Amino acid sequence: MTDASALPGQPRGGALSGPATARAVNVLAPNASAMTLDGTNTWIVAEPDSGLAVVIDPGPLDDGHLRNVVDTAEKAGKRIALTLLTHGHPDHAEGAARFAELTGTRVRALDPALRLGDEGLAAGDVVSVGGLELRVVPTPGHTADSLSFHLPADRAVLTGDTVLGRGTTVVAHPDGRLGDYLDSLRRLRSLTVDDGVHTVLPGHGPVLEDAQGAVEFYLAHRAHRLAQVETAVENGHRTPAEVVAHVYADVDRSLWPAAELSVRAQLDYLSEHGLI
């Protein structure tokens, strides 16, 4: 068995659902799969002494899960006052409209198509509810509309699918772009260096105790994969499928379709920079 402290980001062991920091509680959605890991993490975030809470990523359209989120908040003496989305993929956002019905909340997101209410989210916005402060950090790359939320009081960042609690994420070409993703990882690294962020509250998988280590691992992984893809093309593997079969030969074949999205994003990046 591998010591968790030796893994990238130092993933926290134990149950995924439940309190993660002084202000953040996870309710795990029952949608585990190869792509969603243990399931979607739905985060309830609130000041300890406040009766108001924010929910980030209600998750799939699963009424039992959505009601469980509401019940979890109410048992803690919290009323859900606002819903936020990290991005629009169904495993994070499909349940948002139904959740808004259950809670009477607005839904704020970067993508106007996902919003319920007049307010969206943009870089530099500060979301304040019941004394809670969340700072909006644009982190495109996994998708064009991906956002993270900096929780300064807990020295934490909620990353959606930009950084996962286990493994690495997909650059979902063509909506996701590798150049944007690398910029987003550098932006998150700046939070760890300049703002003291040490905890990652991801959209899937366990909490990470070493935010800087996790982001550095992601940057190194992307550089390594990009070099592998470049070499594969130089060796005559021209199509995305051929590159995947060569570079991702050690990865479960069920994940190859997702890997092909990342490869397409990498090929675009290499072409844009005149490297292939």
Side-chain angles (χ1 to χ4, degrees), residues 59-111:
L61 184 54
D62 181 307
D63 218 58
H65 169 65
L66 301 176
R67 291 182 183 276
N68 188 26
V69 175
V70 175
D71 290 345
T72 300
E74 289 181 347
K75 287 175 183 176
K78 313 288 187 187
R79 178 177 66 83
I80 297 166
L82 181 64
T83 301
L84 305 177
L85 298 177
T86 62
H87 65 297
H89 278 168
D91 56 313
H92 293 258
E94 187 182 36
R98 173 59 178 150
F99 191 69
E101 290 179 2
L102 292 173
T103 59
T105 60
R106 295 166 295 141
V107 177
R108 295 181 63 181
L110 180 61
D111 184 349

